[in-house]
Amino acid sequence: MDKLRVDSGIKKIEVNDNGDFIIIPVSDASFFERFGIVMKNFEQKELEYNQKAKELFEKHKDKPDDDVDMIVDGISLYSSLCKDTCEEIDKLFGDGCCKNVFVGIQNPGIELIGDFFEKITPLLNQYAKERNQRIDLIYNRNRKGARSKGVRK
């Protein structure tokens, strides 16, 4: 029986002391694009949150009795931003990613999510560089083999 194994380019990153990990599908042609979209969405939502927080403050600044309402509205807005971003992260890296990365935190805040992006980005850049080097090696014109001789099957 013939056998065929393709290196799918899956990278595993350990994310906590319990040995849990997230999976990076390096060879998935859309992964890096989707990661960029998640980061852009987070940045956009953060800007929207800051704008809405200013609007809430302005709305309530002359009403000392409304301080509790302003705080509740602000917290709800902040919580929603963080929850939405974690849902996007889980869709990209797999269900439970945020639970494993942010152990013990039910709804990670902006600072934790930002820290995650800051720490994962250099790894993704490294994986993308390695992927591009593999692609260059495979499809290099000077390579000897079936692909370099114009043979296609």
Side-chain angles (χ1 to χ4, degrees), residues 95-133:
D95 286 338
C97 173
C98 288
K99 183 183 103 188
N100 291 334
V101 170
F102 309 112
V103 175
I105 307 293
Q106 186 174 350
N107 191 9
I110 289 174
E111 70 283 1
L112 291 177
I113 295 169
D115 191 36
F116 171 75
F117 285 137
E118 193 174 298
K119 289 180 178 177
I120 195 90
T121 300
L123 291 172
L124 295 179
N125 287 337
Q126 174 189 334
Y127 296 155
K129 183 178 177 182
E130 290 170 1
R131 177 179 182 246
N132 290 340
Q133 288 173 342

Side-chain angles (χ1 to χ4, degrees), residues 30-42:
S30 69
F31 176 79
F32 293 100
E33 178 182 7
R34 290 182 291 131
F35 177 75
I37 290 169
V38 169
M39 283 193 61
K40 278 186 173 184
N41 287 346
F42 174 67

Side-chain angles (χ1 to χ4, degrees), residues 27-143:
S27 295
D28 180 340
S30 69
F31 176 79
F32 293 100
E33 178 182 7
R34 290 182 291 131
F35 177 75
I37 290 169
V38 169
M39 283 193 61
K40 278 186 173 184
N41 287 346
F42 174 67
E43 292 168 357
Q44 182 62 36
K45 287 176 186 173
E46 190 175 16
L47 291 173
E48 289 173 16
Y49 164 76
N50 289 334
Q51 180 60 38
K52 288 180 181 178
K54 286 178 188 176
E55 291 170 9
L56 272 174
F57 178 75
E58 287 299 315
K59 177 180 169 185
H60 293 281
K61 73 178 181 180
D62 296 326
K63 303 173 189 170
D65 295 339
D66 284 353
D67 280 353
V68 172
D69 289 339
M70 181 182 73
I71 291 169
V72 168
D73 289 346
I75 290 172
S76 176
L77 187 64
Y78 179 81
S79 181
S80 177
L81 158 73
C82 298
K83 184 179 179 197
D84 291 348
T85 302
C86 280
E87 287 174 1
E88 288 185 42
I89 290 171
D90 280 352
K91 283 180 188 173
L92 182 63
F93 291 100
D95 286 338
C97 173
C98 288
K99 183 183 103 188
N100 291 334
V101 170
F102 309 112
V103 175
I105 307 293
Q106 186 174 350
N107 191 9
I110 289 174
E111 70 283 1
L112 291 177
I113 295 169
D115 191 36
F116 171 75
F117 285 137
E118 193 174 298
K119 289 180 178 177
I120 195 90
T121 300
L123 291 172
L124 295 179
N125 287 337
Q126 174 189 334
Y127 296 155
K129 183 178 177 182
E130 290 170 1
R131 177 179 182 246
N132 290 340
Q133 288 173 342
R134 267 193 323 274
I135 290 170
D136 287 346
L137 181 64
I138 290 170
Y139 295 104
N140 183 329
R141 290 182 186 264
N142 297 325
R143 180 176 180 250

